[in-house]
Amino acid sequence: DDGPGGRWTVYFKEDDRFGLPKAFLVMHLLTRDVFSSPKNAALASMYELCVSDRLGEYAYDAGLAGLLYEVKVMPRGVRLTFGGYNDKLKNFIEYVSKKLSKDVRKLLPRTDQEFDRYKDQVMRGLSAFDVKQPYFHASYYAQLLVQPRKFQYTNRELRDETRALLLPDLVAYAENVWKNGKGEALIQGNLNEKEAAGLVDVLGNALPFRSLPENEIPPNLEPLPLPQADTDVVPTRLLVAEPNPSNENSCAYVMLQSLDQSEKAHVLIELLNAVVSEPFYDDLRTKQQLGYIVSSGVRGLAGTRTLSFVVQSSVAASASLSVSIFNFLDSIETKILKKLSEVDFSIFAKSLIDQKTEIDKDLATEVTRNWSEISSGRLEFDRVQKEARALLGVSKEDLLEFWRDLYGRNGRRMVISEIIPRQGDASSPLPPSTSGYLSGDNSVSGLVLGIDDIEPFRRDSEKLTVTR
């Protein structure tokens, strides 16, 4: 660690388990510049595509030799990943890094016609969003509401900005990608500390970025809090018309948010999902036959968690699906949790403990787990062990109390995302693009949002993260 104002913070772990002549280096150049606006995010996609294409032949040969690399522009900077046989890794890192920093113009299109071909490829990828299934759209829009604007731009924003891009824009962007930042890296595998330091020197010399002061390093992700709602008030609803006019399926997606970042809360929400997922499917899919896609799941965003319930249907309108989901949620405490025997509770807990204590099967899996702790800023490399220990101490009453806090009491944080088809048995009147939502105070419950209200809603939610 170079300390405040330095270029590098490096984490190193010598392989003591797998015994293979392989190593990985994951490096993140922390900088605000590369993802600071929808235009820069659109340029990031163009840059990634150009790099992949230009280095494709070399990467193919390297792959045959057991080496791999990836360049990925992230909300907080640029991530470089290298992996493979450790005796060849140093030269491989040096070659690719120099190509990225010193041969910038050679990686980019040479003519406007060539640039337009790349742009068309990116646009086709963005346009493919429209033909995805309604459950994807419902999840996408719900997740947008808890993502800060500069961590995820909307598909529409990216399309608009991509259409307007010109070759000089990409050239100017690429020339500044590796200009300044803070290097954060993980080196792990069949290397000693001196060899690992050598890889950092090679990378640092090939990417001569200038260091940033601490106050200019982009902060870690802080999820946006959903508005709190009383139990007798309909939570925030987001109503969006299905973008694919030929898709006749509706969808309802109900997402509950837990801001508790403790290990106990994390394992309780996972345990809760394990207990209710099968009854949810059995009720809405098998018995009510509302649709083929019926599921629940937990997602992590930084230290927070969300529990979501989704139903996609060709026979029932989205509002009807939401009602069915809420009827099920209302029954969870009395019909499922209170009737859960201590034996069954122990079986669910034991299954989750087994999942968390399962040994990493290969070096790449271990590296991915360690890197997630570094990139998130948590640095809890024993997090899964802590969560397994937390599971040993939870009880059925803990699960009941957690569910009451999450759903059964005033102050619950949740959103309903509904996708409404334009035709078919599941169709209903299409919602307006805006409900007239005015930016300002979004802490009130009972909100109804249209697709054009998402951005002002997120902007107001960002203010809440500062004051809560």
Side-chain angles (χ1 to χ4, degrees):
D1 191 339
D2 294 342
R7 293 185 73 207
W8 289 99
T9 298
V10 180
Y11 301 84
F12 166 68
K13 183 178 186 294
E14 186 172 354
D15 176 38
D16 57 1
R17 287 190 54 223
F18 301 103
L20 296 174
K22 292 187 176 183
F24 287 86
L25 184 153
V26 187
M27 177 261 195
H28 196 171
L29 182 65
L30 301 171
T31 173
R32 298 176 187 268
D33 300 337
V34 294
F35 210 81
S36 58
S37 66
K39 180 178 180 179
N40 279 352
L43 285 166
S45 296
M46 293 285 294
Y47 176 73
E48 288 175 8
L49 181 60
C50 292
V51 169
S52 176
D53 188 54
R54 296 298 191 189
L55 295 180
E57 185 175 345
Y58 177 78
Y60 176 78
D61 292 338
L64 295 178
L67 299 167
L68 61 89
Y69 88 97
E70 182 191 48
V71 180
K72 182 70 177 175
V73 180
M74 315 285 285
R76 299 181 64 226
V78 197
R79 187 185 67 200
L80 256 177
T81 304
F82 298 96
Y85 292 105
N86 53 278
D87 61 331
K88 303 174 183 176
L89 202 55
K90 186 174 182 179
N91 291 336
F92 182 56
I93 290 173
E94 183 175 27
Y95 177 86
V96 173
S97 302
K98 284 184 176 179
K99 285 289 184 183
L100 293 172
S101 63
K102 303 186 187 310
D103 296 336
V104 175
R105 197 63 184 86
K106 293 180 180 179
L107 297 175
L108 305 180
R110 296 177 178 83
T111 65
D112 289 335
Q113 291 76 18
E114 190 177 0
F115 173 82
D116 287 340
R117 288 197 295 272
Y118 282 111
K119 185 163 78 170
D120 180 65
Q121 190 172 339
V122 173
M123 281 299 301
R124 279 187 278 120
L126 292 169
S127 299
F129 172 86
D130 290 346
V131 296
K132 291 183 180 294
Q133 289 294 315
Y135 73 85
F136 175 89
H137 295 140
S139 172
Y140 168 80
Y141 289 117
Q143 294 296 326
L144 272 181
L145 298 183
V146 295
Q147 289 266 18
R149 288 175 296 162
K150 289 190 177 182
F151 275 80
Q152 183 176 353
Y153 300 104
T154 67
N155 181 271
R156 183 165 57 179
E157 286 178 310
L158 295 176
R159 285 199 225 188
D160 291 343
E161 293 294 345
T162 301
R163 287 190 192 97
L165 294 180
L166 300 172
L167 179 56
D169 298 325
L170 182 60
V171 173
Y173 177 86
E175 288 176 344
N176 285 291
V177 166
W178 306 101
K179 189 174 182 180
N180 54 60
K182 170 78 173 184
E184 190 173 60
L186 168 66
I187 302 173
Q188 187 171 337
N190 186 39
L191 300 165
N192 58 39
E193 189 171 346
K194 181 178 179 181
E195 292 168 327
L199 294 184
V200 176
D201 290 339
V202 166
L203 193 59
N205 292 332
L207 302 174
F209 56 89
R210 295 193 298 270
S211 61
L212 288 176
E214 286 292 311
N215 62 350
E216 292 185 21
I217 297 174
N220 290 314
L221 167 64
E222 183 174 359
L224 305 179
L226 292 172
Q228 292 180 296
D230 291 344
T231 56
D232 60 349
V233 177
V234 177
T236 301
R237 295 176 69 209
L238 173 60
L239 308 179
V240 179
E242 165 59 35
N244 183 0
S246 63
N247 195 312
E248 299 183 357
N249 291 287
S250 66
C251 184
Y253 184 97
V254 177
M255 182 172 74
L256 294 85
Q257 184 185 44
S258 170
L259 300 182
D260 190 334
Q261 300 193 19
S262 67
E263 285 95 5
K264 183 176 181 180
H266 289 174
V267 299
L268 283 171
I269 199 169
E270 292 182 49
L271 189 57
L272 180 63
N273 179 61
V275 171
V276 304
S277 59
E278 187 175 331
F280 180 62
Y281 180 89
D282 182 60
D283 186 356
L284 277 73
R285 169 68 186 98
T286 306
K287 294 177 181 176
Q288 299 187 45
Q289 296 189 1
L290 292 176
Y292 286 101
I293 297 175
V294 176
S295 66
S296 66
V298 175
R299 283 193 182 187
L301 187 61
T304 69
R305 296 293 184 269
T306 59
L307 174 62
S308 302
F309 298 84
V310 61
V311 181
Q312 179 173 303
S313 175
S314 62
V315 298
S318 61
S320 176
L321 298 179
S322 293
V323 170
S324 296
I325 293 174
F326 271 90
N327 287 339
F328 175 81
L329 298 182
D330 289 341
S331 72
I332 284 179
E333 180 172 341
T334 56
K335 293 186 177 180
I336 300 176
L337 297 183
K338 285 187 175 179
K339 292 184 177 180
L340 188 67
S341 69
E342 293 296 336
V343 172
D344 287 339
F345 177 86
S346 298
I347 290 173
F348 281 114
K350 174 66 164 57
S351 176
L352 200 52
I353 290 172
D354 290 343
Q355 292 177 33
K356 291 185 176 295
T357 56
E358 184 178 358
I359 297 174
D360 295 324
K361 291 182 171 60
D362 52 43
L363 179 62
T365 303
E366 187 178 287
V367 169
T368 301
R369 179 170 54 79
N370 288 335
W371 178 250
S372 70
E373 295 298 326
I374 296 169
S375 62
S376 67
R378 292 188 302 258
L379 302 179
E380 294 182 55
F381 299 105
D382 59 346
R383 181 168 55 89
V384 291
Q385 288 82 5
K386 288 181 178 178
E387 292 181 351
R389 286 195 294 271
L391 273 166
L392 292 172
V394 299
S395 65
K396 175 182 168 179
E397 187 57 37
D398 291 329
L399 190 60
L400 273 164
E401 278 300 303
F402 180 81
W403 174 245
R404 290 164 184 158
D405 288 339
L406 187 67
Y407 178 78
R409 294 187 175 124
N410 290 341
R412 61 188 184 183
R413 298 181 185 273
M414 58 192 306
V415 65
I416 307 165
S417 175
E418 295 181 11
I419 302 298
I420 301 166
R422 302 167 190 268
Q423 59 181 355
D425 294 338
S427 64
S428 54
L430 295 181
S433 61
T434 177
S435 65
Y437 172 84
L438 298 176
S439 60
D441 181 13
N442 78 340
S443 63
V444 298
S445 56
L447 287 172
V448 177
L449 305 174
I451 191 171
D452 290 344
D453 299 320
I454 293 175
E455 287 312 289
F457 179 90
R458 295 168 80 193
R459 182 180 62 243
D460 291 349
S461 294
E462 287 172 358
K463 298 175 185 176
L464 294 179
T465 63
V466 175
T467 57
R468 76 183 160 139

